[in-house]
Amino acid sequence: MCTGHRPQLHTLLTLVVVAFCAPAAAQVTLQPKMGEPVPGLTASELLRFDEGKIRFEQVFTAPEGLGPGFNDDSCASCHALPTTGGAGVLDVTRFGFADKGMPFDPLASQGGSLLQANAISDPCMEFVPANANVTTLRITPSTFGAGLVEAIPDADILALESPGGGMAHFVQPLEDLLGPLRVGRFGWKAQVATILTFSGDASLNEMGITNALVGTENAPNGDPVLLAACDTVSDPEDFADPQGFTFIERITDFQRFLAAPPQTPKSGMTGEQVFNTVGCANCHYSIFITGVAPETALTGKTIHPYSDFLLHSMGSLGDGIVQGAASELQIRTPALWGVRIRSPLIHDGRVTAIDLETTIDQAVGWHGGEAATIATAYAALSAVQHDQLIAFLDSLGKLEFDMNGDGIVDQNDIAGFVGCFTGPGAAITPDDPCAVADIDQDGDVDLDDFAFFEQAFEGPQEDCDSNGIWDVEALLDGTGVDTNGNGVLDACEVNFPRGDCNQDGGEDIGDAVFALDVLFGGTPGPSCLDACDNNDDGNMDIGDPIFLLNYLFGNGPDPFAPHPGCGVDPTPADVVDCVNHPTCP
């Protein structure tokens, strides 16, 4: 933290950004958002990341090789949340045949164990064979931080093995069939060791794109006659672009260079101590140091994935499918980084809830086998310990300065940051909600932190009184007044009608569309979502645009009519909304 004489705030900021007050603090940097590249890539590596993302989002068609059977037509269709490369809500089906005392049969001759649920024509459509007595769903895992995970030395994962407490899965990389086996770390069964293997395997099995690693199409339910009739594109369907990179190489670059999810605060939360004491960290191992990778940006980096990448026997969570050396009861420990924005959870997506606490409670409740005693210990936590643990898990995926937790640092976070601004010498602990604004974790929110808030801020830095200073600076140095604490200078308040969700000065169909967009993550909401709470139930949810649409088409009450607490005798044409009067119901 900086001490001493405080000059004008807007002049000091440049000095803070350049010098950051002390050499030790100069090492503090903003964590990347999910979907951004790892820090430190060279210009050529960044170009490969960008080109890879374009191909990752490419939508394939049948003439380009899609099919004949496929689960989706692009990588990004499944790896979509909260942005390209993330997890997904879509699931795929695995099937097979199990008979007591007999080896598991994946029914490969009948198209197993992965079902391709779509096809380029109806005759090519696969189905689960009648003799399959095991079926399970698998949801899409995230690829954030994949290159860093790939760079973990095999020996460091092997060191975490223990009798009855986790097993490494040795597998053969497709790009090195004559080389040594590697420790698997990707996939629900840790059945993949490298990103390139994953790219080649998924390109074929999820989209039907044959490539240099897997050059033979999947016949629909194993029927070669159907394959000959359905597939007319010559193999391999993946070929080099003008720069010499194949599709699977391009998407490998994108995944390899994706940053790990942020964690804020980075350390020190009491909830992590509870996490460790309960035993969660026995499998959700917190820290690795990457080995020597081809890229400096991936070499020798300390990462916190919260996974040991080992297989564990999970009892009731077993999926019944055998893959390689992974038994029907074994599941690879999923990495918890970024968990605050992930739903559904569990390999088959059985846990979907509206809030993190409920999701985690339900997910832990399903843990059996090796994790049964940990689930019991979790259930026995006191209310305080439970809340501390959930708060810690909520930090996994949270951006610095994301005061309202919506995944973006913008106008909606200004009021929260200003409210947490202490100046030098306060005592903010990692458990304090304001710790999200203490980027250097020195116990206060001061000018050092504001310099980074300014960097992290997305959108225009408003100067509504045209004095050449960002309005936030005026709020911090006391020259600006914000009576209602909404992050907008009183001199610059604009009173929008309560139903004017998009704040364009009118109430129309655009507000309902905007509200739907906010609900489904397409657009950041206004500074107070009460402006869109048309049905006055205290929540911004699907009921509000429905309520508004009913009114607009003459089937419901007027959402713009006065309601208690919003001004004195307001009229429908001049309602002071809850953006400016947060005490309204």
Side-chain angles (χ1 to χ4, degrees):
M1 115 189 121
C2 302
T3 57
H5 175 68
R6 177 179 175 180
Q8 278 281 57
L9 181 59
H10 63 278
T11 356
L12 180 59
L13 291 177
T14 303
L15 299 175
V16 170
V17 172
V18 174
F20 201 53
C21 298
Q27 302 305 311
V28 177
T29 57
L30 286 170
Q31 298 178 79
K33 293 172 58 178
M34 283 183 272
E36 292 183 344
V38 294
L41 293 176
T42 66
S44 63
E45 289 163 354
L46 280 171
L47 180 60
R48 285 165 54 194
F49 173 83
D50 292 336
E51 293 289 344
K53 182 177 181 181
I54 292 171
R55 300 304 300 277
F56 198 86
E57 295 175 338
Q58 177 180 344
V59 176
F60 281 91
T61 62
E64 293 172 317
L66 180 70
F70 62 97
N71 282 318
D72 223 313
D73 55 10
S74 79
C75 304
S77 295
C78 295
H79 296 278
L81 300 174
T83 187
T84 300
V89 297
L90 301 178
D91 54 53
V92 298
T93 298
R94 292 271 179 178
F95 62 85
F97 177 79
D99 192 9
K100 190 173 183 179
M102 299 293 291
F104 175 81
D105 183 356
L107 300 178
S109 63
Q110 295 175 262
S113 68
L114 178 67
L115 176 75
Q116 281 79 40
N118 298 299
I120 57 176
S121 62
D122 289 344
C124 309
M125 188 73 72
E126 278 196 330
F127 53 85
V128 176
N131 60 328
N133 61 359
V134 176
T135 60
T136 189
L137 299 177
R138 288 193 189 165
I139 59 172
T140 307
S142 166
T143 64
F144 296 143
L148 294 163
V149 171
E150 183 181 53
I152 298 171
D154 286 7
D156 290 357
I157 297 176
L158 287 170
L160 299 177
E161 286 188 308
S162 63
M167 180 189 87
H169 192 184
F170 280 94
V171 294
Q172 189 74 59
L174 293 178
E175 65 269 28
D176 190 15
L177 294 177
L178 299 179
L181 298 179
R182 290 284 313 280
V183 173
R185 58 202 69 196
F186 302 113
W188 286 106
K189 296 283 190 176
Q191 73 271 21
V192 178
T194 69
I195 304 171
L196 185 57
T197 290
F198 171 75
S199 297
D201 179 84
S203 292
L204 174 69
N205 290 307
E206 305 296 350
M207 297 185 293
I209 305 298
T210 54
N211 54 77
L213 298 186
V214 276
T216 303
E217 292 280 12
N218 290 313
N221 283 118
D223 188 337
V225 176
L226 271 180
L227 177 60
C230 294
D231 182 42
T232 60
V233 181
S234 60
D235 301 317
E237 293 151 336
D238 175 20
F239 49 86
D241 61 22
Q243 289 75 42
F245 291 88
T246 63
F247 172 75
I248 63 171
E249 289 171 335
R250 288 294 194 190
I251 63 174
T252 294
D253 280 344
F254 172 65
Q255 296 169 89
R256 184 175 176 79
F257 296 146
L258 275 170
Q263 179 176 344
T264 307
K266 298 184 185 76
S267 62
M269 296 188 74
T270 304
E272 183 161 16
Q273 300 173 25
V274 177
F275 182 85
N276 296 338
T277 301
V278 168
C280 303
N282 295 352
C283 301
H284 294 284
Y285 191 72
S286 66
I287 185 169
F288 287 96
I289 299 176
T290 63
V292 178
E295 300 84 10
T296 300
L298 301 176
T299 298
K301 304 302 178 184
T302 300
I303 60 173
H304 302 277
Y306 295 95
S307 171
D308 58 10
F309 303 102
L310 298 175
L311 294 171
H312 292 269
S313 182
M314 297 301 293
S316 60
L317 275 186
D319 64 0
I321 301 292
V322 175
Q323 278 184 274
S327 76
E328 69 278 4
L329 295 178
Q330 289 179 316
I331 298 290
R332 183 217 60 177
T333 306
L336 291 183
W337 54 10
V339 72
R340 74 179 302 272
I341 52 88
R342 287 216 306 269
S343 183
L345 294 184
I346 307 297
H347 64 274
D348 56 6
R350 71 182 68 180
V351 174
T352 302
I354 59 173
D355 61 81
L356 179 65
E357 178 180 0
T358 306
T359 302
I360 297 299
D361 287 351
Q362 292 180 5
V364 175
W366 278 105
H367 281 48
E370 293 176 24
T373 57
I374 296 169
T376 300
Y378 179 91
L381 289 173
S382 69
V384 171
Q385 291 173 317
H386 174 268
D387 290 348
Q388 289 169 335
L389 198 159
I390 296 298
F392 160 65
L393 294 176
D394 189 51
S395 74
L396 304 183
K398 181 174 286 186
L399 279 173
E400 290 130 340
F401 308 114
D402 182 12
M403 311 304 295
N404 63 357
D406 65 355
I408 187 171
V409 180
D410 60 6
Q411 189 74 22
N412 298 315
D413 299 297
I414 290 176
F417 181 82
V418 173
C420 286
F421 190 82
T422 61
I428 293 175
T429 72
D431 293 328
D432 192 309
C434 285
V436 71
D438 182 14
I439 184 173
D440 52 10
Q441 290 198 265
D442 64 351
D444 58 33
V445 178
D446 58 10
L447 296 183
D448 297 345
D449 303 295
F450 177 66
F452 285 100
F453 179 71
E454 190 172 32
Q455 291 181 40
F457 192 83
E458 299 185 44
Q461 296 184 1
E462 299 288 350
D463 177 17
C464 69
D465 52 4
S466 301
N467 66 350
I469 300 175
W470 187 19
D471 297 337
V472 179
E473 298 179 31
L475 294 173
L476 294 180
D477 67 16
T479 61
V481 179
D482 176 22
T483 305
N484 58 17
N486 70 343
V488 179
L489 296 177
D490 287 356
C492 308
E493 290 281 14
V494 177
N495 295 331
F496 296 99
R498 185 168 57 89
D500 184 13
C501 294
N502 60 8
Q503 299 186 349
D504 64 356
E507 305 93 0
D508 51 32
I509 191 69
D511 298 303
V513 173
F514 184 91
L516 288 168
D517 206 19
V518 170
L519 284 171
F520 293 103
T523 304
S527 57
C528 173
L529 286 178
D530 286 343
C532 296
D533 184 15
N534 297 306
N535 59 9
D536 281 341
D537 67 352
N539 297 304
M540 170 56 182
D541 53 31
I542 193 65
D544 299 303
I546 292 174
F547 189 94
L548 177 57
L549 287 168
N550 281 335
Y551 164 70
L552 290 171
F553 291 99
N555 298 316
D558 182 358
F560 315 120
H563 62 291
C566 285
V568 180
D569 298 326
T571 66
D574 187 26
V575 174
V576 180
D577 67 72
C578 293
V579 171
N580 301 320
H581 288 273
T583 57
C584 298

